[in-house]
Amino acid sequence: MTELLDFTIKDLLRSFKEGTLSPSEYWQAVEARIAAFEPEVAALYAYDPESARVQAAASTERWKKGQTRGPLDGIPVTLKELIATKGTPVPLGTAAVELLPAAEDAPIAARMREDGAIVFAKTTCPDYGMLSSGLSSFHPLSRNPWNTTQNPGGSSAGAASAAAAGYGPLHIGTDIGGSVRLPAGWTGLFGFKPSHGRIPVDPYFVGRCAGPMTRTVEDAAWSMFTLSRPDWRDGTSLPPNEIDWMDLEIDVKGLRIGVMLDAGCGLPAEPEIKAAVLDAARRFEEAGAIVTEVAPILTRDMLDGLDNFWRAKFWGDIAGLNEERRAMILPYIYQWAAKGAAVTGVEAVDGFRQTIEMRRAAGKLFCEVDAVLSPTNPIVSYPADWASPTNDPEKPFEHIAFTVPWNMSEQPAASINCGFSASGMPIGLQIVGPRFGDMLVLRLSKAFESWTGGVRTWPQPVS
């Protein structure tokens, strides 16, 4: 069964086509893994195995008849809880939200169903998706499968836990400051945040993206055929594309690659992480890339301005809640947000202006380099029950300094495993490309994965 759960999407589709494995048989393996691992990691929300069995049976029949719907037919998929699925409440990770069934599928959910994917569960996130943690006032505490005393990161916490635990090959998260890449880094996954608008989201917001979280680069690339189709509900949705997402070959000779070991502010990268990133950079250099160290682009004013802007925005989101509802919000989040009430309009606008400054700084850097390598996460791990790597609501974003600039500059970025710490925890390498350079990021990631062999051994349930 473990070998079956290691199948990639291509392996599964080939087996479905040849008739050596059916979607129903594969789902049975995934369902057994969930039963064994879910009590330890608590990754899922709205898990519906009965519906999954029905969907798998329907897909099995379509494969028998040669009438498949699309490139993900029969593939089990989870969606982050924030991604609406018709009929399922969207609690936004918090006990403060009234549970009402979603009126319609969000763009990602709609594309998945159109292409025959088996949507069997949503995945957990912290309150309003505003933490890099598996801690929530609504969901059970999600844990890192590599070591369940440790945090999976977030806000796509459950997606990371589910993927690392082997709940099928594809899990979709969202990312406004690192929420796909950060948990991917802490759980050994490949997490891809494409160019802004490449994967339509609803609601959309400055910097907000969605992306696949998988065990291999190819699985993420394959999912983009489905995920990247435009949707009118996202006003930033990019036009239809004819990208061959599986064209992953690249010769890195002559590419200018910058290595950023200092984020400019926030938590400094720990020595083990710096060493792993430098080792990764040497692989690119040995393959012929021109590798140089580059200075950070983020400043304290930028990060603090973004903090003010987000506090003000979030306070506006929750200001209409009555006191009883507000009291249900995770205290860490509420304590942070409450200061948004004192942010003036001028300060909020200045905070938003800092997102433009990030874009300018990123644009200037990419006049000098073709891609950037950096740590994804500044620290190796932190306790499962912490709200963030600092666990301090007065220092809420010290851990996103390597990741958040690329949200604001709308550039594609990915996290890929580049080693393990002495404690046995995964270490993530971030690969950043120019705006709309999604294929460059995927190709560089695939090249790196081919050099290292990727993660060969994944966590197993205790039972």
Side-chain angles (χ1 to χ4, degrees):
M1 184 175 292
T2 298
E3 182 180 354
L4 184 58
L5 292 172
D6 290 337
F7 276 20
T8 66
I9 292 175
K10 284 178 67 176
D11 293 334
L12 291 170
L13 295 177
R14 185 183 308 113
S15 299
F16 295 164
K17 184 176 181 179
E18 294 172 351
T20 57
L21 178 71
S22 73
S24 289
E25 290 167 335
Y26 180 66
W27 169 252
Q28 289 170 9
V30 173
E31 187 173 335
R33 171 54 64 91
I34 293 170
F37 224 150
E38 184 63 5
E40 297 178 45
V41 298
L44 304 182
Y45 161 67
Y47 174 44
D48 190 347
E50 184 176 347
S51 171
R53 291 181 211 123
V54 172
Q55 294 177 66
S59 177
T60 296
E61 288 303 309
R62 290 194 295 272
W63 277 100
K64 286 180 180 178
K65 295 175 181 178
Q67 298 175 351
T68 54
R69 289 183 180 172
L72 292 177
D73 204 318
I75 303 300
V77 173
T78 69
L79 307 180
K80 187 175 180 179
E81 183 243 275
L82 302 181
I83 301 168
T85 51
K86 185 176 181 179
T88 303
V90 183
L92 305 177
T94 181
V97 168
E98 186 178 357
L99 296 180
L100 299 173
E104 61 181 358
D105 283 338
I108 291 167
R111 300 296 88 76
M112 288 292 162
R113 297 196 202 281
E114 288 166 4
D115 282 1
I118 300 169
V119 180
F120 66 90
K122 311 295 283 291
T123 50
T124 65
C125 67
D127 290 52
Y128 298 97
M130 289 304 296
L131 297 176
S132 191
S133 176
L135 184 64
S136 162
S137 64
F138 179 83
H139 300 294
L141 177 64
S142 297
R143 297 175 179 271
N144 194 322
W146 290 94
N147 181 341
T148 54
T149 70
Q150 300 299 293
N151 211 296
S155 62
S156 303
S161 296
Y167 296 5
L170 180 59
H171 307 268
I172 312 301
T174 61
D175 187 319
I176 199 171
S179 289
V180 161
R181 290 157 289 155
L182 291 167
W186 277 310
T187 55
L189 302 171
F190 180 68
F192 180 49
K193 181 203 80 68
S195 296
H196 190 89
R198 183 70 72 195
I199 298 175
V201 295
D202 180 33
Y204 67 93
F205 188 69
V206 60
R208 185 172 187 246
C209 298
M213 301 172 72
T214 60
R215 290 183 171 185
T216 70
V217 176
E218 280 197 350
D219 278 353
W222 184 262
S223 75
M224 292 297 294
F225 287 111
T226 296
L227 293 169
S228 65
R229 292 205 295 274
D231 192 293
W232 68 268
R233 290 172 288 179
D234 185 340
T236 65
S237 179
L238 296 178
N241 66 74
E242 295 183 1
I243 297 171
D244 180 358
W245 293 101
M246 297 302 285
D247 181 12
L248 298 174
E249 295 297 319
I250 189 171
D251 181 356
V252 304
K253 187 175 181 179
L255 277 179
R256 302 168 301 165
I257 297 181
V259 180
M260 186 182 292
L261 297 174
D262 175 8
C265 57
L267 295 172
E270 293 177 342
E272 284 184 292
I273 292 174
K274 282 187 175 182
V277 170
L278 284 172
D279 283 346
R282 277 191 283 270
R283 289 184 181 268
F284 284 95
E285 192 169 44
E286 290 166 0
I290 302 166
V291 178
T292 57
E293 190 164 343
V294 295
I297 63 171
L298 194 70
T299 66
R300 174 51 60 184
D301 284 346
M302 290 176 185
L303 192 59
D304 288 349
L306 184 63
D307 186 6
N308 271 343
F309 173 60
W310 277 349
R311 285 186 202 240
K313 190 264 181 193
F314 187 63
W315 182 252
D317 290 343
I318 66 172
L321 295 177
N322 60 39
E323 290 187 15
E324 182 181 1
R325 286 282 178 184
R326 284 191 206 167
M328 296 179 184
I329 298 172
L330 195 73
Y332 181 103
I333 287 286
Y334 188 77
Q335 184 179 337
W336 166 76
K339 292 195 173 182
V343 175
T344 68
V346 170
E347 289 170 335
V349 169
D350 184 66
F352 179 79
R353 184 177 62 81
Q354 296 300 327
T355 70
I356 307 301
E357 293 304 311
M358 290 185 215
R359 183 191 292 262
R360 286 172 57 86
K364 182 178 180 182
L365 173 60
F366 271 78
C367 290
E368 304 166 6
V369 298
D370 300 307
V372 168
L373 307 179
S374 80
T376 304
N377 319 84
I379 66 171
V380 166
S381 65
Y382 55 104
D385 59 356
W386 280 21
S388 77
T390 63
N391 209 32
D392 181 352
E394 296 308 311
K395 298 179 180 179
F397 301 127
E398 301 302 293
H399 59 287
I400 68 172
F402 283 110
T403 53
V404 72
W406 318 116
N407 290 80
M408 302 307 141
S409 65
E410 302 189 358
Q411 293 174 231
S415 180
I416 190 168
N417 179 259
C418 65
F420 290 83
S421 68
S423 62
M425 300 304 289
I427 295 173
L429 168 71
Q430 183 175 224
I431 301 176
V432 187
R435 194 173 178 215
F436 308 132
D438 304 76
M439 286 307 303
L440 177 62
V441 170
L442 289 171
R443 287 168 178 157
L444 292 175
S445 300
K446 178 59 179 175
F448 183 75
E449 183 183 61
S450 69
W451 299 332
T452 65
V455 178
R456 296 177 178 86
T457 304
W458 290 92
Q460 301 296 319
V462 173
S463 55

